[in-house]
Every structure is written in structure tokens, then in C-alpha cells.
Amino acid sequence: MMKVMMSRTPPAVGYALLAAALFGASAPLAKIVLGDASPVLIAGLLYLGSGIGLAVWIAVRRLLLRHEPLRAIARADLPWLGGAVVAGGMAGPVLLMSGLAITDAASASLLLNMESVLTALLAWFVFREHFNRRIFIGMLLIVAAGGLLAWAPAASTGAPVLHTGALLIIAACLCWALDNNLTRKISGNDAVQIAAIKGLVAGSVNVAIALWTGAAWPQAGIVLSTAAIGLAGYGVSLVMFVLALRALGTARTGAYFASAPFVGAALSLLIFGGTPSLQFWLAGALMAVGLWLHLTERHAHRHRHQPLDHTHAHVHDEHHQHTHDFDWDGQEPHTHRHHHDPLLHDHPHYPDLHHRHRH
């Protein structure tokens, strides 16, 4: 019997929310281990811990699933992966650690919501992903919330000034927004392998740069703690994010990911204490409404699928009605290069791997 592929599948939503929770929690936890250490070194250790941990998992997975070969990332996807590593793996963490060093943890966590806004803007206007008025209004509210957090009265004149720390965190969000859109291009590949490569390359480069510029190596406990935070908040989080990208598209996945700062803000208040300001709560309310507009969006219309050849894990649903030129044991999901014939139909969908059409 044909399986009908639903657009808002619970697994994809769950992946995005888990990615958000893990990443959101990493900001206040990273601030604890940062201390007086070099932001570049801590950023490198976060990603290196992610890469090493995921590489170990790939090795374990190979031992457990001997029948499943390790699929190399397609050569045509390597430039996209390289750009994602530089933007999201090297520049982004360094900017974030530098901003965290001079910004309170709660505001820093909420500022991370700017990543979803910048991700969507790049997806819409550079990578031509579809959006509607509801999504646009939601993003305006999130931008307004980020503005409330970034601007504060100057001590001498009372005029609003933009904190250097906030600027650095917003710059980190821009790097990750570019990373998200580049990763969308290769999201059909093995998500664990993508995250492991990014962690190993970016982490090694940042650690080398930090040591070359004279950064002091922290104590073993700090190194292990940072690596563990990186594995969860950068590695596992990225794997979940890539899985969500396949089914939800870049901007929509970013909307779910916008819940990350609320996790970080709540955790930072629990760890560091303090009383949130009225400005903080107003920003949180605006972000909550913007997130709600995204989460409740529905999109359905009659659309045409163009012929397409690609490789990714799939089941034989309404979009995958093809034959095999090899012996198939009937197990699903399975992975191989397959062809999509033209198809015209109407159902709810997101701009996933099979719905990146014009409107």
C-alpha cells in the first residue's frame, strides 16, 4: 500500500525542537567554562568535542551495521560543505564566545533567536525559498525582540547604544544563518557525517589558531566539559537540525529552532540567578508570538514536481514510486540514487527535498 507523506511529520518537528533545546542550553553552559580562557580556544574545543564524539559514533555504527556501507558525501556537495564549515564551524563559535564574554547569559541566549531571522532572510531573498505574509510578520516580531535586547541606555547620556557583545552575537547568528542555508543544499547526505566533518575541521583549525596566538591550555576538567557541551549542543544538535532541514526546509526549520534562546534564557536564570528586567520579558513575549505564527502556518496548493535524480534515505511513499536496478530486500527506509518522474498533485507541504518549486 502506498504511504502518504505528510508535510508536518512529528519526527521532523521533534528533530528541530531537540536541536533547539540542545543548542540553547549550550550558551549558558559554555559561559560557565569560558571564564578567562581564550574564546577562540573554547570555540575550537566545542566543535572538536563534537567532531570526535560523532566520529566515534560513526565507527560504532559501522560495527553494529556491518551490512550498511559508509556513503561518501557527493563531490558536487563538497563546496557547500566547505562554506558551511568556514561560516558556521569557524567564524560563528568564535564570535559567539567573544560576545558571551561581555554579555549577560540570559540576554545572550535570547539574542541567539536572531539566527532564525537571518536564516529566513537568506533563504527567502538569496536562496529563493517560498514564504508568505504570516511567516514574514512572525519574523518582524522576532527582529523587534532582538532589537529590544541589543539596545540599552548609555551610562553617560541615556541615549540607546548597541552593545559590542550583542553585535558579536548577532554576527555569529549571521554566520550560522549562512551555514544553515548552505547545509540545506547537502541535507540529503548522512547528517552524522556532515556534523562530524564540520566539527573535526572547524575545531582543529580554531584550536590551532588559538594555540598559535598564545592561548593558554585550560585544565583537563575544562577541556572535557567543553568537549561534552560541544558534542551535545553543536554535534547532536546539528545532526537533528539537518534531519529537520530535509522535511521542513530552511526557514521553517529555523522557526522551530527559534525556541532555542528560551531554553538558554531559562537555564541561565536558573544557573546565574538575578531578576529579569521588563525589557527582557517584553522581548520574550514578542519572540513567543513570532514563533507561534511560524509553528501554526499551513501551506498547501496544487504543484508540479520536475524530473529529479538524487540520493537520500527514503520510503516508497507518494513521492517515491520507482523501480530498482539492484536486488532489494524490502527494508525501508533505504538509501540509493533514484529518479523522480514529473508529478502533479495537491497536498500540504514544506519546501523539503522534494518541494523546492516556484510559486
Side-chain angles (χ1 to χ4, degrees):
M1 180 180 295
M2 181 186 298
K3 302 173 184 178
V4 178
M5 185 169 75
M6 301 301 292
S7 63
R8 193 175 288 271
T9 56
V13 174
Y15 295 152
L17 293 176
L18 180 57
L22 291 171
F23 180 70
S26 70
L29 293 177
K31 187 172 179 67
I32 294 176
V33 301
L34 179 57
D36 296 327
S38 162
V40 178
L41 180 59
I42 293 298
L45 289 174
L46 285 168
Y47 259 108
L48 197 57
S50 162
I52 293 174
L54 293 177
V56 170
W57 168 243
I58 289 175
V60 171
R61 186 178 62 180
R62 289 284 295 119
L63 291 175
L64 297 176
L65 303 174
R66 295 179 181 274
H67 64 281
E68 184 175 325
L70 180 65
R71 303 187 310 275
I73 294 177
R75 180 173 297 181
D77 290 339
L78 292 179
W80 301 111
L81 177 60
V85 168
V86 172
M90 298 180 184
V94 172
L95 291 168
L96 175 62
M97 292 301 102
S98 300
L100 280 176
I102 53 178
T103 307
D104 69 275
S107 293
S109 295
L110 281 178
L111 271 173
L112 289 175
N113 222 352
M114 292 300 294
E115 178 184 344
S116 66
V117 177
L118 296 171
T119 294
L121 291 176
L122 288 177
W124 296 338
F125 299 109
V126 177
F127 293 91
R128 300 299 182 183
E129 186 172 294
H130 173 71
F131 70 99
N132 55 35
R133 183 171 58 183
R134 183 186 188 89
I135 292 294
F136 181 71
I137 293 174
M139 281 303 176
L140 286 181
L141 293 175
I142 297 174
V143 169
L148 275 178
L149 290 174
W151 291 84
S156 58
T157 64
V161 296
L162 191 59
H163 290 306
T164 301
L167 281 174
L168 290 171
I169 293 172
I170 292 173
C173 290
L174 178 59
C175 289
W176 281 317
L178 179 58
D179 174 11
N180 293 338
N181 280 278
L182 295 176
T183 302
R184 179 209 188 205
K185 294 282 189 179
I186 60 174
S187 59
N189 292 279
D190 182 1
V192 178
Q193 191 177 164
I194 291 173
I197 292 173
K198 179 185 292 185
L200 290 171
V201 175
S204 299
V205 170
N206 280 337
V207 167
I209 291 174
L211 295 178
W212 181 68
T213 55
W217 193 259
Q219 297 178 353
I222 297 296
V223 173
L224 292 176
S225 298
T226 304
I229 294 170
L231 175 57
Y234 288 70
V236 178
S237 177
L238 178 57
V239 171
M240 297 296 104
F241 191 87
V242 173
L243 294 175
L245 279 176
R246 296 177 185 173
L248 304 175
T250 312
R252 274 74 173 179
T253 300
Y256 286 97
F257 197 74
S259 60
F262 296 102
V263 175
L267 185 59
S268 64
L269 290 174
L270 181 64
I271 294 174
F272 301 106
T275 302
S277 64
L278 176 61
Q279 181 181 358
F280 176 88
W281 288 116
L282 288 175
L286 287 174
M287 287 185 177
V289 175
L291 179 60
W292 174 79
L293 288 172
H294 277 262
L295 298 181
T296 55
E297 183 234 358
R298 298 292 185 271
H299 180 72
H301 63 92
R302 192 165 183 80
H303 55 277
R304 182 181 301 277
H305 293 265
Q306 300 299 326
L308 176 65
D309 290 271
H310 62 178
T311 303
H312 66 92
H314 62 278
V315 298
H316 285 193
D317 55 24
E318 62 178 328
H319 294 94
H320 295 90
Q321 295 298 307
H322 52 253
T323 59
H324 299 82
D325 56 3
F326 58 90
D327 292 332
W328 177 42
D329 58 11
Q331 292 188 355
E332 294 182 337
H334 61 168
T335 304
H336 63 91
R337 188 163 184 83
H338 55 275
H339 175 74
H340 292 268
D341 290 323
L343 177 64
L344 180 65
H345 60 177
D346 185 345
H347 66 91
H349 61 278
Y350 275 130
D352 57 23
L353 284 176
H354 304 96
H355 296 92
R356 296 174 180 174
H357 49 256
R358 295 185 178 274
H359 292 74

